[in-house]
Amino acid sequence: MDESIWAAARASRGWLDAANGTGQTELTCRILKLTEEVGEASAAWIGLLGQNPRKGVTHTREDVAAELADVAFTALVAIESLGLDAQTALDACAEKVRSRLTGQ
């Protein structure tokens, strides 16, 4: 990933730290924010499928992708908020998946 993504995640953490502090309640809120973002991605998918007859089709695949990107970025900020490096955590996750796929 481009370095600007990691820098943006760190900057977002710093901005949130300055605005809201760094206590356990704030960290909990940052982790729970993932649930909110996942809900928005789910709502976009439901809107794409037109599952709500009252609303019909309200979203596109691009809308769903944008919401999923919000989920991913929010997760990076949450990892940084734990005092860990999001890039290292994501690299470790990718390596775990690669080893499963290759049977190593």
Side-chain angles (χ1 to χ4, degrees):
M1 275 196 250
D2 187 281
E3 177 56 36
S4 67
I5 294 169
W6 308 114
R10 288 188 297 273
S12 293
R13 178 210 174 174
W15 177 72
L16 288 168
D17 288 353
N20 300 335
T22 59
Q24 289 297 97
T25 299
E26 176 60 20
L27 180 56
T28 299
C29 288
R30 292 182 200 183
I31 293 169
L32 290 175
K33 179 74 173 164
L34 280 164
T35 304
E36 178 186 353
E37 296 297 343
V38 168
E40 291 175 10
S42 298
W45 184 249
I46 289 167
L48 174 97
L49 296 177
Q51 281 298 109
N52 184 335
R54 185 174 50 82
K55 294 181 180 180
V57 174
T58 58
H59 290 77
T60 65
R61 284 184 176 264
E62 290 76 14
D63 295 328
V64 175
E67 295 298 345
L68 290 170
D70 285 347
V71 172
F73 190 79
T74 300
L76 297 178
V77 174
I79 293 167
E80 289 285 335
S81 296
L82 290 167
L84 303 170
D85 181 70
Q87 185 173 6
T88 300
L90 197 58
D91 285 346
C93 180
E95 182 54 38
K96 179 176 66 176
V97 170
R98 274 192 296 274
S99 69
R100 281 189 205 140
L101 295 174
T102 61
Q104 297 176 347

